[in-house]
Amino acid sequence: MNSMRVVWITGLIFLAFGLSGCGPSAPAEKESASAASGAEHEAQATEMEIPEDVRERLREATRDFGGALKAALVEELGKNGPAAAIDVCSEQAPRLAREKSTDRLVLRRISFKVRNPDDAPTDFEAEYLARLEQLHADGRLPEELFVPIEEEGRRGVHYFKPILIEAACLLCHGPEESLGPDVRASLAERYPKDH
């Protein structure tokens, strides 16, 4: 796989209703998704059916978030250039994610190569990011991934959607030697632990 940064929009929705066909019924036998091994979680996930309306709510939420973020980036790039557009990713993106999240739906951007430590994946997310990055390296990147979970007695669905790199993204997310001096300076100041 090349060294290109892979960023994902992830949504986590907790459901007020049950997912059909969920694994063992005895509470002592249930295992949280964060504690389950990969194979055990895969078996559990395949037994859980995700209703289409839940899938569509997650798609819509990430489309809204991604669309609003892209529009803000394009506008700032056009008006003030790449160095100023860094503010969109560092300040507006987290705010947009909070605004579009609810008590039952959480949106965020995650990656292994983060600039903002808040965008680092949880252990659970990291397991799936590693799988998705391997699929990407194999040329089989999925458009989306739904992963049913049970966490703290609540059922939910993690949704992973890749943010695909466009030419304009490389003005700030390309190789360091290709970045303008103002962009490099702004990134160094804002993200001293940039990965």
Side-chain angles (χ1 to χ4, degrees):
M1 184 168 131
N2 63 27
S3 62
M4 182 71 61
R5 183 179 311 246
V6 177
V7 180
W8 295 80
I9 296 176
T10 184
L12 169 62
I13 189 168
F14 283 105
L15 310 171
F17 50 90
L19 295 170
S20 63
C22 295
S25 58
E29 296 176 18
K30 289 187 179 178
E31 191 173 282
S32 76
S34 59
S37 74
E40 291 166 342
H41 184 75
E42 285 298 320
Q44 178 187 7
T46 58
E47 293 176 10
M48 301 171 93
E49 186 177 316
I50 303 167
E52 188 57 37
D53 66 315
V54 171
R55 291 174 184 262
E56 192 50 43
R57 280 191 301 192
L58 286 162
R59 288 178 183 127
E60 182 180 339
T62 56
R63 267 193 311 265
D64 289 351
F65 171 68
L69 179 56
K70 184 175 180 178
L73 278 167
V74 168
E75 180 179 351
E76 192 62 30
L77 277 168
K79 285 182 179 177
N80 300 307
I86 293 168
D87 288 343
V88 174
C89 282
S90 67
E91 296 173 19
Q92 290 186 43
R95 188 185 76 243
L96 279 168
R98 284 190 305 273
E99 288 172 0
K100 296 194 177 291
S101 294
T102 68
D103 61 333
R104 290 186 38 205
L105 172 66
V106 178
L107 288 168
R108 40 189 245 120
R109 295 172 301 156
I110 59 173
S111 175
F112 285 128
K113 295 181 179 181
V114 296
R115 287 192 164 143
N116 181 342
D118 292 341
D119 295 335
T122 64
D123 290 343
F124 176 83
E125 292 166 338
E127 177 185 344
Y128 283 90
L129 281 186
R131 293 177 191 187
L132 289 163
E133 288 200 351
Q134 184 59 54
L135 289 171
H136 179 50
D138 296 342
R140 299 183 299 135
L141 180 67
E143 289 184 27
E144 60 186 5
L145 175 67
F146 295 90
V147 182
I149 62 161
E150 185 162 334
E151 193 173 273
E152 299 175 2
R154 299 189 305 171
R155 292 185 177 155
V157 179
H158 270 276
Y159 176 62
F160 297 87
K161 174 79 176 164
I163 299 174
L164 301 176
I165 300 294
E166 297 180 11
C169 303
L170 299 177
L171 296 170
C172 298
H173 294 280
E176 186 174 351
E177 62 276 4
S178 72
L179 304 179
D182 55 340
V183 171
R184 284 197 307 270
S186 182
L187 290 172
E189 179 184 331
R190 190 175 296 272
Y191 299 112
K193 296 180 181 180
D194 184 6
H195 291 149

